[in-house]
Amino acid sequence: MKLIKSRKLFDGVDEKENLLIGFEGDEIKYVGSKKPEEERDSEIIQEGDDIVVTPAFIDSHSHIGMVRSGEPGNEEESNEQMNSVYPLVNALHSIYMDDPSFAESVESGVLYSTVLPGSGNIIGGKAVLIRNFVQDIEQAYIMDVGIKAALGYNPRSTMEWKGNRPSTRMGAVAMLRENFIKARKMQALLQKEKKVIDEVEPITEVFMDILSGRFKMMFHVHKEDDIMVLIQLVKEFGIKAIANHCCDVHREEVFVALKASSIPIIYGPMDAFPYKVELKHESWRNAEKLLKSGAKFSVMSDHPVILQRNILYSLRHMLRFGLSKANAISKITKDAAEITGLKNIGQIKPGFKASLVVWNGDPFSLSSHPILVIGEGRTVYDQR
């Protein structure tokens, strides 16, 4: 067993002191104050007076590998322009793992990414969760997260693209409802044995999978009224949804309404420039309303809107409004894993994957940085 001796441990839930973290293979086996007696051959690979350990970070919403560092903008692949409703698109198929941003993220302790299609379409395609620290998409893929959808300005701003496209927000919602109604009717016909599954069109089948709960919907949404539409859709069709962004929300009661509707939030990107009208109320101060609401949320980079390697810095606003350091770190570890559905990652406890970041001081200090990053038991970055 390999051991890391921490002066301080942020385990994804709490802040603790003077603990050993032991892992073997890709799994954490031990967390405790004393060296396990039964592990006589265990080896302490890192210790020191300033050593702080956190779980590896999880970015709940990004376009890393699709919008790639060092490539011209016309080569980015975040939005497929063939149709405004095309859930068969899979973000995994437009990721290049040689994007230099992956290595920068790993150096900063960000080992996992939810990668989504962009928001230029009403239904943009499938979002996937990947490892940042491997060589190709086969090794990177962990799980499907859900189907990307978009409300608000973005899907009505792309009328020059191909396919049937809305010019208004009401048109976008109508097209979305049309597909859900069609899928619901098909479900009824299948139940009555008036249709067989082989007769169902692939796009309708995806909407049926959403209605059945197999897929969550990752909704791009910023403005408060569009969030009310999202809540209405959840009530009408009984779908599982995650609200992504919510940056223009400036009233606490809107976050409360999301909480009451059991819709978690992937919040951000914070520190991005509000470049469009639907962000006219955007402010880092809105985070205070989010915290007061008690809504469940994680934090995103929306890479490259803010660089994924800097996702930790977004949390400083939460600290300003009273969130503890331990709870802040949970927004890019434990809470991020729970919202996206990622199992056995995001906490430092026995049975979880050995994905750890070893820091040379307090992660929230500008002078601190990772000196050792472990990805599922393997050293993926070492600056010791």
Side-chain angles (χ1 to χ4, degrees), residues 59-61 244-245 266-269 298-302 306 311 314:
D59 186 355
S60 306
H61 180 123
N244 287 243
H245 300 302
I266 299 175
Y267 190 68
S298 63
V299 171
M300 70 164 75
S301 75
D302 201 15
I306 65 170
I311 191 171
S314 297

Side-chain angles (χ1 to χ4, degrees), residues 104-281:
E104 294 177 348
S105 293
V106 170
E107 291 179 12
S108 300
V110 189
L111 295 193
Y112 301 97
S113 301
T114 296
V115 184
L116 307 88
S119 53
N121 295 309
I122 303 167
I123 297 290
K126 187 180 290 183
V128 295
L129 204 146
I130 65 169
R131 300 174 177 90
N132 288 352
F133 52 91
V134 294
Q135 300 302 310
D136 58 55
I137 59 171
E138 182 70 20
Q139 299 169 20
Y141 175 79
I142 298 175
M143 58 177 282
D144 297 338
V145 174
I147 303 297
K148 173 68 179 290
L151 298 173
Y153 171 74
N154 283 19
R156 73 180 183 92
S157 70
T158 55
M159 289 186 64
E160 73 278 8
W161 294 359
K162 298 175 183 177
N164 191 22
R165 296 189 173 274
S167 60
T168 62
R169 291 182 297 122
M170 62 183 176
V173 175
M175 292 177 71
L176 194 56
R177 291 188 68 253
E178 178 185 6
N179 280 277
F180 276 125
I181 291 168
K182 186 186 297 184
R184 181 180 277 174
K185 288 181 176 179
M186 183 58 71
Q187 284 179 327
L189 291 172
L190 289 169
Q191 289 172 357
K192 294 176 181 177
E193 298 184 348
K194 293 184 177 181
K195 291 281 186 179
V196 296
I197 193 66
D198 290 343
E199 297 179 88
V200 181
E201 292 295 324
I203 290 176
T204 299
E205 192 169 355
V206 175
F207 277 93
M208 289 168 59
D209 286 338
I210 295 169
L211 289 173
S212 70
R214 180 185 172 194
F215 290 133
K216 299 185 289 287
M217 293 201 75
M218 300 279 279
F219 273 97
H220 165 108
V221 61
H222 277 295
K223 290 191 73 66
E224 294 181 344
D225 285 310
D226 293 323
I227 287 172
M228 295 301 113
V229 172
L230 167 58
I231 291 171
Q232 290 171 1
L233 289 169
V234 168
K235 289 179 179 177
E236 181 178 4
F237 295 106
I239 57 178
K240 297 178 181 178
I242 301 172
N244 287 243
H245 300 302
C246 302
C247 291
D248 202 62
V249 178
H250 53 285
R251 293 185 300 138
E252 182 182 337
E253 51 263 43
V254 178
F255 291 123
V256 171
L258 285 168
K259 178 184 177 182
S261 300
S262 300
I263 302 173
I265 300 162
I266 299 175
Y267 190 68
M270 302 178 75
D271 297 322
F273 181 72
Y275 65 96
K276 53 186 175 179
V277 172
E278 72 173 3
L279 289 172
K280 65 183 178 182
H281 300 107

Side-chain angles (χ1 to χ4, degrees), residues 296-361:
K296 188 173 183 65
F297 74 96
S298 63
V299 171
M300 70 164 75
S301 75
D302 201 15
H303 179 97
V305 180
I306 65 170
L307 297 179
Q308 188 180 77
R309 69 187 188 219
N310 294 331
I311 191 171
L312 176 68
Y313 301 143
S314 297
L315 299 175
R316 72 190 189 280
H317 302 299
M318 306 291 178
L319 301 183
R320 183 167 179 172
F321 294 123
L323 195 66
S324 70
K325 291 180 180 180
N327 286 335
I329 285 176
S330 76
K331 301 307 175 188
I332 53 173
T333 56
K334 173 182 174 290
D335 290 344
E338 290 178 350
I339 288 171
T340 56
L342 182 59
K343 305 295 184 183
N344 299 324
I345 291 173
Q347 297 183 60
I348 298 176
K349 60 188 292 188
F352 275 60
K353 294 292 186 183
S355 291
L356 316 166
V357 187
V358 181
W359 301 77
N360 65 346

Side-chain angles (χ1 to χ4, degrees), residues 4 6 8-11 21 23 28 46 50-58 105-112 312 329 332-333 347-348 353-361 363 368-376 378 380-381:
I4 297 171
S6 65
K8 185 173 291 185
L9 169 65
F10 294 100
D11 64 4
I21 303 104
F23 63 95
I28 297 170
Q46 183 64 56
D50 297 323
I51 294 300
V52 179
V53 181
T54 68
F57 298 154
I58 304 163
S105 293
V106 170
E107 291 179 12
S108 300
V110 189
L111 295 193
Y112 301 97
L312 176 68
I329 285 176
I332 53 173
T333 56
Q347 297 183 60
I348 298 176
K353 294 292 186 183
S355 291
L356 316 166
V357 187
V358 181
W359 301 77
N360 65 346
S368 298
H369 58 85
I371 57 172
L372 178 66
V373 181
I374 306 294
E376 298 180 18
R378 181 166 61 89
V380 294
Y381 176 72

